[in-house]
Amino acid sequence: MNVMIVIPSLEGGGAERAFVNLSSHFRAKGWNVTIATFGSSHLDAYQLDQGVQRIELGLFITSRNPVIGALLSLCRVFRIRNAIKSLRPDIVVGVMPAAGILSILATVSTKIPVIVAERSHPGAILLPMHWRVLRKLLYRYANAVTVQTEAAAVWIRS
């Protein structure tokens, strides 16, 4: 199995720690694992297992300007898609809303399954309007959306 995990960074936090641990578990099973981040490895709070490949996609910067923000997101989609073409994963996991949405867009017409991993109750996190709209429109195209609790699952289904 060849797995690509897309996560904004490994700078710290529960989701980052959980997916570093999960990548080690997958490696122990003999799977190929690549973690793709927008953030730099120089800022990582967690060390990856020896066999886990790391790709820095760059573009961790953000902008309050909606046009620049949209262009940055589009560049991120193309960088994820290029990594997918290079790595040819069997599955892509997008961790947290933005990485999940961008992963769905990057896999359009590839037939590669996408799993979105929500790590907080989605209703409790106030995303900017454009991300909320994209989540509502695009999550239905993910092969699965994982959540932590039944309450979060009910929220996602609605």
Side-chain angles (χ1 to χ4, degrees), residues 138-158:
L138 297 176
Y139 270 23
R140 70 189 74 211
Y141 297 105
N143 294 81
V145 177
T146 64
V147 293
Q148 304 273 90
T149 66
E150 184 58 35
V154 169
W155 192 95
I156 284 287
R157 284 187 205 109
S158 70

Side-chain angles (χ1 to χ4, degrees), residues 11-126:
E11 288 184 25
E16 294 83 353
R17 185 184 67 238
F19 277 85
V20 166
N21 291 340
L22 190 60
S23 69
S24 295
H25 174 74
F26 290 158
R27 282 296 305 146
K29 292 177 67 117
W31 296 7
N32 293 320
V33 181
T34 301
I35 291 188
T37 66
F38 302 110
S40 169
S41 62
H42 294 102
L43 302 173
D44 287 357
Y46 307 106
Q47 185 156 354
L48 292 172
D49 196 56
Q50 182 88 12
V52 176
Q53 182 180 356
R54 169 69 180 276
I55 295 176
E56 292 179 24
L57 301 168
L59 296 174
F60 196 57
I61 57 172
T62 59
S63 174
R64 290 180 184 250
N65 180 310
V67 174
I68 293 172
L71 289 173
L72 286 169
S73 291
L74 188 60
C75 288
R76 290 181 187 109
V77 168
F78 285 119
R79 290 199 179 174
I80 295 168
R81 191 168 178 95
N82 286 338
I84 288 168
K85 285 180 181 177
S86 173
L87 297 167
R88 300 175 60 192
D90 298 309
I91 193 163
V92 173
V93 180
V95 182
M96 297 183 279
I101 290 164
L102 297 175
S103 295
I104 292 167
L105 291 170
T107 57
V108 168
S109 78
T110 65
K111 298 183 181 173
I112 297 171
V114 177
I115 296 174
V116 176
E118 284 274 355
R119 302 300 298 168
S120 300
H121 188 297
I125 304 297
L126 184 58

Side-chain angles (χ1 to χ4, degrees), residues 125-142:
I125 304 297
L126 184 58
L127 294 175
M129 178 62 81
H130 64 283
W131 287 115
R132 288 190 309 235
V133 169
L134 287 170
R135 177 172 59 190
K136 187 173 182 91
L137 292 172
L138 297 176
Y139 270 23
R140 70 189 74 211
Y141 297 105

